[in-house]
Structure formats: structure tokens, C-alpha cells
Amino acid sequence: MKSKQRFFKETIKDVPLRGETVLVRVDYNIPLNQKGEISDDLRIRGSLPTIKYLLERGCKVVLISHLGRPDGKEAKYSLEQVGVRLSELLHQSVTFIGDTIGDEVYQTVRKAPKKSVLLLENLRFYSEEEADSAAFAKAIIRSTRATYFVQDGFGVVHRAHASTHAIAMEIPSVAGLLLEREYQTITAAMKAPTRPLVAVMGGAKVSDKIGVIEHFVSVADTILIGGAMANTFLAYKGYGVGMSKIESDQTEVLDRLYAAAAKKVGQENVDSFIVLPTDVAVANEINAQAKRVVRSVADIKFDDIALDVGDESIERYTAIVANAKTVIWNGTLGYAELPEFAHGSARLALTLATTQPKITSIIGGGDTADFALKWDGSDGKSFSHVSTGGGASLDLMAGKKLPGIESLLDARP
Ligand code: ADP
Ligand code: 3PG
Ligand code: MG
């Protein structure tokens, strides 16, 4: 990427910090497995630089987050076990407080020594959080007596909630280091990428990602389409897609997209600009016994379910990716929960891993990040940047303004 623009908001590095009580919004909405245990701690690890920075300056760090979408106070959504994992990663004790506001919070924070880390209970146990309630935001500040607010929950800044919006109206509010890194990395890749810029788009639905794909039509050099999204494109082009997952109401959207693409690269180049699979891997059922059968897209049978890009398409896609300088990947190329249909995603991950650092790779999207982390053994080092944001990274890539960032103090000139 070319010379980085300065971040447009104040960060923790721009304010004088010496022993204050600092309230930090993190996004510890982490994936839990069926037993309710933490299945991936990328978001917890991502929060460490900011916490350490504040501790080094003698601050008392009070963390707030949501977890899941609880209906009132549901024990399974408590942040207590997250506090335990944080303490292991930080090599320091973390005091978990079983409420988010009130006297217990006030007394515990008040008595805690400087350089301590405290974690409050799930913000969404209070409906006021999602209602962006100013009274709730004020209650959090009153209970903690925090003098600064730090937004470091990149994954949640696309929401206008009490802890991402209302709270920033109350006390000086600045960005944390994760938020700054996410914003700067993603926007630099979108606005001033080292070219060629290849966008790899897959996953479940066109409608989830249309804003991002439209943006890529204007900024990317090539767009590769995979996943169930490719089925919708193929059906639009008139191919029979059997029993595959598609969205049938996207005709207008795709008309618009192809018109914009033709305007940019010329009608004759559209299909090498928005690249679709020429073959797909199909099965007749979706389960662990399903065998991968590869067919040309012209030969998909009425009872076939297309679950991955085919082998010829994998070669074509990886060759295009290998010639890129920047790759942004969002959405798995197939039904990657089943190894038989993870070939496309795994080969793409391998291509990105082996071309680093020649290729800057940015991975966004909850399922895609999850796949990429599991593929490389969980630390994400095979890629330049694995985003901690799902919806937030999509909105940022689509060029939308994010309320949780907009509400922070502007950087001084
Ligand atoms: P992300 O969370 O990274 O933005 P999505 O949620 O859009 O990605 O897409 C991931 C989901 O898409 C996965 O659950 C995956 O199984 C599903 N998927 C990908 N390809 C197919 C396909 N061909 N048929 C059905 N589901 C698919
Ligand atoms: C996410 O995981 O995308 C964020 O933590 C936001 O969670 P939400 O979609 O429940 O608002
Ligand atoms: Mg998803």
C-alpha cells in the first residue's frame, strides 16, 4: 500500500494519560462452540495492545463488551469466561464484575489499584445498550468514574448503541490501537492499493455483500466470485444450477452491477473482470458423507447442489491471485465447513500464505476469518491482516460511515 494517510480520529496516543480510569469498549463477541466454550480468541488477542499501552501509563482499565444477542440476563452469555482467557493472554489478573452499572461496579472499580484490569458484565443484559440510551451511558460513567472513553471494539462500530455512540457524547472519546489498525489497513487497501487489486467474494448471499461488490467494481482490477454467491451469478447468466442455494430476486441488482462493470472495462472484458467459476463441485446432499463431484457449469444436473468452485476454476482463481499485489477476501469459496467442499478456500489460503509478503492479503467476514484462522492454526500470521470485524469490515469496505468511529474526537490538524 502507498503512503498511509493519518487516521482522522484522535487515538490513545494523542491524549495525555497518566493513571486515569479509562473505559475501553472492546468487542469480545467471540464465537462459542456447542459446549459454550471459546472457539477462537482473535478478538481477545486483538485487544491486548491497547490494554497494555494503557497499563504502561499507569491507568486503571475498565473493559466493556457485549456477547451474543441475549434476551435479558442469560447466564450462557456472561463474559466471565472471557475474563479468564484475557487474564491468561495478558499474564495479569482480570477482575470480572457481575454487573455493568451500579454500586458493585462503583465499589470494585474504586477499590482497584492503578494498573489493574476490570471487565464488566455483558452490556446487552440491559436493553438500554442497543437502544443507544444516554441514561445508560451516563450510568456506566457514573459507576466507573472513567475520565476517558476508548473505542477499540472494531467489530461493533457499525452499530449505534450506547457503548458505541451515546457514551462518546459524555466524556472525551478516542480510538484504541486495534480500531486504528483495522480502519487504516482496510481503507488504505480500498483507496490506495498496490495494484493489481483482486477482490475475492464468496459466502452465502449476494444481498449481504452487494454494497461491497459494487464498491469493488469501481476499485478492484479483478473480482473473483465463489461460494453460494456464484450460484446466484450463474443462474442470472442462464445456467441451470439444480438444487443449489441461490437468491432468485437479485436480477435488478446484478443488472446494475454488470452495467457498471461494462462501463468501466468495456462489454467485451466484463467476464474477465467479474470472474465466475467454469466448473463447480457438487453433491446431492449436504453432510460429512457427501462426495465431491466436479462438473462443468454447463452440465449441472437438476438434483445437484453446487457446494464449491471446481478444480479448473481453483487453478484459474489461484493463478489470478498469485499475480496480484493486494488481495481482499471476503466470503468462503464454498461450503467450507465440510472438508470436501473447502478445497477452493484452502487453495486460496495456501496461495496467500505462500506469496506473503509479496501480496498484501486482507481477510474480512466472520466465517472467512474463522476459516483462515483454523487453516493456519489460529494465529493468522499467514495473512497480512485478518480483520476482527464481520459486518463492520463489510460496511467499511463498502465506504459507509461507521457510527462508533464517527462519534470519536476528530484528530487535531
Ligand atoms: P462471512 O461470514 O465471511 O462474511 P458468509 O456468512 O457470507 O461469509 O458466508 C459463509 C457461509 O456461506 C458459510 O456458512 C458457507 O457454508 C456458506 N456457503 C459458501 N458456499 C456455499 C455454497 N456453495 N452453498 C451453500 N452455502 C455456501
Ligand atoms: C459482530 O460479531 O459482528 C459484532 O460483534 C456485532 O454483533 P451484532 O451483529 O450482534 O450487533
Ligand atoms: Mg457469516
Side-chain angles (χ1 to χ4, degrees):
M1 270 159 273
K2 303 198 179 105
S3 66
K4 266 197 177 176
Q5 276 200 328
R6 204 173 140 229
F7 187 43
F8 77 117
K9 292 290 175 179
E10 296 244 302
T11 78
I12 49 174
K13 295 200 164 160
D14 299 317
V15 289
L17 291 168
R18 209 157 285 277
E20 280 87 350
T21 299
V22 181
L23 188 63
V24 183
R25 175 42 157 126
V26 286
D27 186 359
Y28 288 165
N29 182 29
I30 49 175
L32 301 174
N33 65 22
Q34 283 180 334
K35 287 192 222 145
E37 301 154 343
I38 298 169
S39 75
D40 148 21
D41 59 11
L42 178 73
R43 286 178 168 181
I44 308 179
R45 284 184 284 116
S47 72
L48 298 179
T50 291
I51 299 173
K52 286 181 181 163
Y53 181 92
L54 295 171
L55 292 174
E56 279 160 17
R57 274 146 197 84
C59 298
K60 204 185 278 192
V61 180
V62 184
L63 303 166
I64 48 174
S65 178
H66 74 288
L67 173 60
R69 294 176 176 171
D71 192 7
K73 292 187 185 177
E74 284 186 76
K76 65 176 177 179
Y77 292 116
S78 170
L79 282 165
E80 189 164 9
Q81 65 162 332
V82 175
V84 174
R85 177 67 63 90
L86 172 64
S87 154
E88 289 162 10
L89 293 168
L90 204 55
H91 307 296
Q92 166 170 347
S93 71
V94 171
T95 304
F96 173 73
I97 308 176
D99 208 339
T100 323
I101 50 173
D103 199 48
E104 187 194 349
V105 175
Y106 172 68
Q107 293 299 345
T108 316
V109 174
R110 190 177 64 83
K111 287 182 198 146
K114 292 198 165 157
K115 294 193 177 191
S116 52
V117 179
L118 303 102
L119 172 65
L120 307 189
E121 184 55 290
N122 194 339
L123 289 157
R124 290 192 186 168
F125 283 0
Y126 288 86
S127 60
E128 291 89 339
E129 161 64 0
E130 289 182 73
D132 194 13
S133 154
F136 184 58
K138 286 189 170 87
I140 297 174
I141 291 163
R142 244 194 340 268
S143 309
T144 57
R145 297 288 196 269
T147 49
Y148 278 106
F149 173 70
V150 174
Q151 180 55 266
D152 212 25
F154 175 69
V156 72
V157 289
H158 58 314
R159 309 281 181 224
H161 292 170
S163 67
T164 58
H165 179 258
I167 203 152
M169 310 298 135
E170 305 298 329
I171 51 175
S173 298
V174 300
L177 303 175
L178 174 65
L179 177 65
E180 180 188 23
R181 181 161 63 87
E182 290 270 16
Y183 183 93
Q184 292 292 77
T185 309
I186 293 172
T187 53
M190 297 298 290
K191 287 187 186 147
T194 314
R195 293 185 182 277
L197 166 63
V198 175
V200 185
M201 300 297 301
K205 288 182 176 174
V206 171
S207 55
D208 281 350
K209 298 187 177 166
I210 188 62
V212 186
I213 310 174
E214 283 182 322
H215 217 71
F216 278 129
V217 168
S218 61
V219 303
D221 297 296
T222 309
I223 304 172
L224 308 178
I225 306 283
M229 182 185 284
N231 303 336
T232 300
F233 275 77
L234 291 170
Y236 170 81
K237 292 260 181 184
Y239 290 100
V241 292
M243 304 295 284
S244 308
K245 180 182 167 82
I246 61 160
E247 283 175 286
S248 50
D249 55 354
Q250 297 298 301
T251 311
E252 260 176 53
V253 167
L254 293 180
D255 280 345
R256 202 171 68 221
L257 194 78
Y258 274 101
K263 195 163 167 218
K264 176 175 171 178
V265 298
Q267 189 62 47
E268 66 284 10
N269 298 315
V270 163
D271 292 331
S272 49
F273 175 52
I274 299 177
V275 183
L276 302 184
T278 49
D279 60 350
V280 285
V282 303
N284 295 133
E285 51 189 0
I286 306 179
N287 57 41
Q289 283 72 47
K291 282 273 161 292
R292 177 183 181 90
V293 175
V294 175
R295 287 197 213 294
S296 155
V297 291
D299 295 331
I300 300 173
K301 307 275 181 284
F302 76 94
D303 56 350
D304 281 343
I305 311 171
L307 293 171
D308 195 7
V309 290
D311 300 359
E312 178 186 278
S313 305
I314 292 176
E315 296 307 325
R316 189 151 139 258
Y317 282 21
T318 50
I320 294 170
V321 162
N323 279 317
K325 287 277 167 46
T326 307
V327 176
I328 303 182
W329 177 16
N330 199 294
T332 52
L333 289 182
Y335 198 99
E337 293 89 336
L338 296 176
E340 286 281 282
F341 304 101
H343 291 202
S345 302
R347 277 289 304 281
L348 175 59
L350 179 68
T351 307
L352 297 176
T354 50
T355 50
Q356 236 204 349
K358 187 176 83 70
I359 298 179
T360 300
S361 54
I362 298 179
I363 297 179
D367 290 289
T368 317
D370 225 34
F371 176 83
L373 291 174
K374 292 210 171 83
W375 181 88
D376 92 335
S378 260
D379 65 3
K381 293 277 188 309
S382 301
F383 314 101
S384 314
H385 184 73
V386 181
S387 178
T388 57
S393 65
L394 284 176
D395 281 2
L396 187 56
M397 286 178 195
K400 292 188 193 155
K401 288 203 186 311
L402 304 171
I405 301 183
E406 294 303 316
S407 59
L408 304 175
L409 290 173
D410 287 331
R412 277 167 292 196

